[in-house]
Amino acid sequence: IEAINHVELRSRVSSYIVDLYVEEGARVTAGQVLFRLADDKWTQQLLELEAEIRIADAEVQKKEQEYEN
């Protein structure tokens, strides 16, 4: 038995696979989750960006108060 279609998967982000939900050669359907990538790098980056937003918001509030006085 040979597959009708062969598909090559490539990630658009740099990470590593932490969970694999299908075996190589298994039949899959559109939208099926095949694996889970490590997200620790992205979680840390998100936390840093959220902190930057809070700092920027505080600076805006300070400038608005200075302007009003």
Side-chain angles (χ1 to χ4, degrees):
I1 297 176
E2 195 169 315
I4 296 172
N5 294 318
H6 296 272
V7 177
E8 184 175 321
L9 298 176
R10 293 184 187 188
S11 176
R12 290 186 265 174
V13 297
S14 174
S15 190
Y16 55 92
I17 295 174
V18 292
D19 288 314
L20 185 60
Y21 302 121
V22 296
E23 293 185 24
E24 184 176 345
R27 180 173 287 198
V28 297
T29 59
Q32 180 179 348
V33 176
L34 307 178
F35 52 85
R36 183 173 68 89
L37 298 176
D39 64 356
D40 51 337
K41 173 182 170 183
W42 306 112
T43 301
Q44 182 60 37
Q45 186 176 10
L46 175 63
L47 293 173
E48 290 171 5
L49 292 172
E50 288 174 338
E52 288 180 24
I53 290 171
R54 285 192 299 274
I55 291 169
D57 284 343
E59 289 176 3
V60 167
Q61 288 178 357
K62 180 180 176 185
K63 293 295 182 186
E64 286 175 342
Q65 289 175 352
E66 289 174 1
Y67 177 75
E68 290 173 358
N69 294 331

